[in-house]
Amino acid sequence: MIPCVVSPYSFDGSIIRLEQVVEKTKSIGLKSLLLADTNFHGTVTFNNLCRRNGIIPVHGLRVGTKVFYARNREEFEELVKAYNRSEEPKLDFLKIDEIKLIYYLNDSQLDGHIAMCQIQQSPIKSGSSFDGAFEDAALILGCTSYDLRVEMKLPQPKKDWLKGCAELARTPEHRKRFEEELKVIEKLGFESYFYTVKRI
């Protein structure tokens, strides 16, 4: 059975700390781990922790009784787009009864899980600890590890475009202050940021 971790970011009773579940995954010899949240709030942390520990992160999205999963970066982006549009992803999925949703690490944490469910008014999921015989999600589903960083560059302004704004200063004191601020902006390389904000 494939273990599918539910993080506290899904707000339905999980008390799992991602650091602990990654350590547990390593200790039982699994090479991959599937995250089955209802949103993407914990995705970057999960991805970074897994990759740093040599585990293949498999990103899933739980919708009703299905867990849709991404095998690569392109499918991950499709998963996010479908979520943003409140649509069901056009991707492969696992049924809830084919997997084990993990809400707490071991039975000693069951009371904590019950308390969290009561606070969040969600059903208690007893028997949802990270104990049992598990299979590697990445191996079975054909998933690969990928980086989630986005390479994005802001629009570049024309040279000295900010200096024209100094003319808006009403007093010599304001102009002097503006020129001081301008030096800091240029020194830190923030011209493109301010240019983008101005355009917006």
Side-chain angles (χ1 to χ4, degrees):
M1 186 170 280
I2 295 175
C4 295
V5 174
V6 178
S7 82
Y9 296 100
S10 270
F11 307 110
D12 58 355
S14 172
I15 59 166
I16 278 184
R17 290 183 57 214
L18 291 175
E19 296 86 353
Q20 289 179 332
V21 81
V22 167
E23 281 300 318
K24 172 82 171 182
T25 302
K26 280 173 66 176
S27 72
I28 62 176
L30 285 176
K31 304 296 182 193
S32 64
L33 188 59
L34 195 156
L35 181 66
D37 281 353
T38 54
N39 55 48
F40 292 98
H41 300 169
T43 301
V44 173
T45 301
F46 172 75
N47 199 72
N48 291 342
L49 279 169
C50 285
R51 286 165 57 91
R52 205 161 43 234
N53 285 278
I55 294 168
I56 298 171
V58 180
H59 297 281
L61 177 65
R62 191 159 34 99
V63 181
T65 59
K66 300 174 184 174
V67 175
F68 294 88
Y69 58 89
R71 289 174 294 200
N72 50 50
R73 176 64 187 261
E74 291 74 26
E75 289 189 357
F76 173 77
E77 289 174 6
E78 176 59 36
L79 212 56
V80 174
K81 283 178 189 171
Y83 172 78
N84 288 336
R85 295 175 187 145
S86 299
E87 297 174 353
E88 196 170 87
K90 294 179 175 67
L91 295 171
D92 291 336
F93 62 87
L94 298 164
K95 293 179 182 176
I96 294 292
D97 57 7
E98 298 175 326
I99 59 175
K100 182 175 183 183
L101 291 174
I102 311 291
Y103 287 86
Y104 48 96
L105 211 54
N106 52 52
D107 288 339
S108 69
Q109 295 182 339
L110 178 58
D111 288 344
H113 166 67
I114 292 170
M116 187 61 73
C117 287
Q118 290 170 340
I119 291 167
Q120 295 174 338
Q121 298 182 338
S122 62
I124 295 165
K125 297 91 178 172
S126 56
S128 296
S129 65
F130 202 171
D131 289 321
F134 296 122
E135 300 171 285
D136 263 305
L139 203 62
I140 294 168
L141 306 175
C143 303
T144 59
S145 180
Y146 47 89
D147 196 343
L148 291 180
R149 283 180 294 185
V150 177
E151 295 298 328
M152 185 180 285
K153 290 187 179 178
L154 295 172
Q156 295 301 308
K158 293 179 181 177
K159 189 169 173 56
D160 297 332
W161 77 277
L162 267 174
K163 289 180 181 169
C165 298
E167 297 166 6
L168 300 174
R170 296 181 180 165
T171 66
E173 291 82 14
H174 287 156
R175 187 178 180 92
K176 182 182 177 191
R177 175 62 185 262
F178 178 85
E179 287 171 353
E180 289 171 1
E181 297 285 346
L182 184 59
K183 286 177 186 172
V184 173
I185 290 169
E186 289 174 340
K187 181 180 177 184
L188 296 175
F190 283 170
E191 298 100 318
S192 58
Y193 170 77
F194 282 92
Y195 177 65
T196 303
V197 171
K198 183 176 184 295
R199 288 182 65 190
I200 292 169

